[in-house]
Amino acid sequence: MSDLLRRLPSVDKLIGDESALDLIEQYGRAQVVETLRGVLDDVRARILSGEVASPEIFAETHLLQTASGTLERHFTPTLRPLINATGVIIHTNLGRAPLSESAQQAIIDVAASYNTLEFDLDTGKRGSRLVHAEALLTEITGAEAALVVNNNASATVLLLAGLAQGCEVIVSRGQLVEIGGGFRVPDVMRQSGARLVEVGTTNRTRQADYEDAITEATALLMRVHSSNFKQIGFTEETSIEELVEVALRHNIHAVDDLGSGALIDTAQFGLEHEPMVQESVRAGMGVVAFSGDKVLGGPQAGILLGKRELIDPLKKHPLARAIRADKLCLAALTATLDHYRRGDALEAIPVLRMMGLRLDELQATALNWMRQLRSSGLTVEVRVIGGESTVGGGSLPGATLPTALLALDVNSPDDFAHALRQAHTPVIPRISDGRVLFDPRTVLPGQAGALLETIKSTLV
């Protein structure tokens, strides 16, 4: 055993190897030395435990390769790009909306330099970060004022804390939903200090239900759009116009938590109509809250817009500073909104472009993938089948889009999917009926080559 231990090279000897010098340049000397010590300690432990030692484990090349693999795993970030082949367009677990090229460039430009985040070039004095997106939001939606925070849950808390703290907020019982990650609307509302008043039943809430519940303590009537589920059958819901009517009669305000935040009509893609921000503004909602990274197609953000008399106090609320949007969010959001102003949102914003892909385009892509894989000599069966894509992200529940799927019949779909996730650029497919499926709708331009290479290398 002692002879085996003496055969191990020292750290000093390993660190002088040319391969080690490359590792030092890439990861730094301290990290390489520490990793080499760990590799050698592991080999010593195996020898001392009586494990049969093959000559390979003493080779300097093998030890350095082991260290290289350890360093690569250690330095690989946990937040990294991947290929979404699931067909879920706004995939919350996969980062929701990918950004347009101009939004990506806007982030780089602002991140790489000092900028006008809170500086007024005209006066040479301190400015406000709130102005950067507000003008675009009001122009696009017709609202009087707007405010951007870090996500829609924050926007809802700020809305209620600023306008209804210690007061009653009336909400339909059928709208008290649970959003992703176990967060429930009633819990979010309670954190704001507002008192929740439920009206109606799970499936039916009428205008009179709100009317009868109003007291002197009532501050707001609130609509929460059920964006992540759908009720069918014997149902009735008070329209936003009817809700505003009741609010006006009692000299209070109606507010709208839209969640998804569509700025275009999703019916043009063959989907159901997702309630639009502009519709809520036109109906007279005092404040509308929605997300920036769902159907809107921008970065994570919570957007509040509506009547100036309500938005301006929210800008000055102490909570607004704690949840404010940073410079990178504002840069990406304004670049995204500019597509709506220019009229090229359907082509430039990835989630909208994906929704608009035609079935014949998807079929052509899937067939091309199939031919390339078949020509590479794979032994598994590869074919193209029909299927459905979904919008996802708590938007348009139950709505689907027809698509063409690349289908692979492999011995163990779960093992194959796991191997795809471990690739240098992870690939996330979906599994159905014992087959591994790849939906071209959500594979971004420029990713097809990496997708096919990963599939081929994983099957070897």
Side-chain angles (χ1 to χ4, degrees), residues 25-337:
E25 183 177 351
Q26 188 172 359
Y27 301 111
R29 182 181 179 85
Q31 288 288 337
V32 174
V33 169
E34 181 181 350
T35 301
L36 287 171
R37 284 176 179 156
V39 170
L40 291 171
D41 288 343
D42 180 62
V43 174
R44 289 191 189 95
R46 290 165 61 186
I47 293 172
L48 292 172
S49 68
E51 182 178 332
V52 177
S54 65
E56 180 191 50
I57 70 170
F58 300 100
E60 293 183 18
T61 301
H62 174 74
L63 295 169
L64 287 164
Q65 286 176 346
T66 302
S68 177
T70 301
L71 286 162
E72 182 178 2
R73 288 189 296 274
H74 181 65
F75 278 87
T76 297
T78 53
L79 180 59
R80 50 197 281 219
L82 53 72
I83 297 174
N84 174 16
T86 66
V88 180
I89 296 172
I90 306 170
H91 200 307
T92 296
N93 297 343
L94 305 185
R96 287 190 178 166
L99 298 176
S100 69
E101 291 183 7
S102 63
Q104 296 172 43
Q105 188 60 51
I107 289 176
I108 293 171
D109 292 343
V110 166
S113 173
Y114 294 105
N115 52 75
T116 59
L117 179 64
E118 292 186 350
F119 187 78
D120 189 318
L121 292 173
D122 290 330
T123 65
K125 297 179 180 179
R126 180 171 182 168
S128 170
R129 71 177 61 206
L130 303 180
V131 303
H132 301 299
E134 184 172 29
L136 279 164
L137 285 166
T138 55
E139 179 181 344
I140 293 166
T141 67
E144 296 175 4
L147 168 63
V148 179
V149 295
N150 62 357
N151 65 24
N152 193 49
S154 297
T156 303
V157 171
L158 176 60
L159 161 63
L160 296 172
L163 302 180
Q165 191 169 52
C167 300
E168 295 176 349
V169 177
I170 300 175
V171 185
S172 168
R173 186 169 281 108
Q175 296 172 1
L176 297 178
V177 300
E178 179 176 307
I179 57 179
F183 294 99
R184 296 180 172 181
V185 167
D187 296 335
V188 172
M189 292 181 69
R190 277 190 286 271
Q191 289 299 314
S192 70
R195 296 198 302 274
L196 172 65
V197 177
E198 302 176 26
V199 297
T201 62
T202 302
N203 61 319
R204 307 199 89 183
T205 304
R206 301 178 178 87
Q207 193 176 26
D209 293 321
Y210 293 94
E211 192 98 44
D212 294 342
I214 293 174
T215 69
E216 292 183 357
T218 302
L220 300 172
L221 305 183
M222 187 172 186
R223 194 277 289 265
V224 181
H225 175 47
S226 54
S227 56
N228 62 353
F229 77 100
K230 183 178 181 180
Q231 288 186 337
I232 58 174
F234 189 60
T235 63
E236 182 178 349
E237 187 174 73
T238 305
S239 70
I240 54 176
E241 290 81 8
E242 291 172 329
L243 202 62
V244 171
E245 283 179 12
V246 175
L248 289 174
R249 280 200 295 270
H250 292 269
N251 198 30
I252 57 177
H253 291 285
V255 296
D256 197 2
D257 183 355
L258 267 181
S260 183
L263 295 177
I264 49 91
D265 186 359
T266 53
Q268 65 187 292
F269 305 122
L271 295 162
E272 294 182 11
H273 174 74
E274 178 77 355
M276 294 171 61
V277 176
Q278 297 93 318
E279 293 167 347
S280 293
V281 172
R282 285 196 297 269
M285 284 287 182
V287 179
V288 184
F290 55 98
S291 296
D293 58 347
K294 292 185 178 180
V295 178
L296 191 150
Q300 176 181 300
I303 300 168
L304 292 162
L305 53 77
K307 297 179 180 178
R308 186 173 302 280
E309 64 182 285
L310 301 180
I311 296 295
D312 283 353
L314 297 180
K315 294 177 180 178
K316 300 173 183 176
H317 193 281
L319 183 59
R321 181 175 179 85
I323 59 176
R324 66 184 182 180
D326 78 327
K327 60 186 178 184
L328 304 185
C329 167
L330 293 170
L333 180 60
T334 53
T336 303
L337 291 170

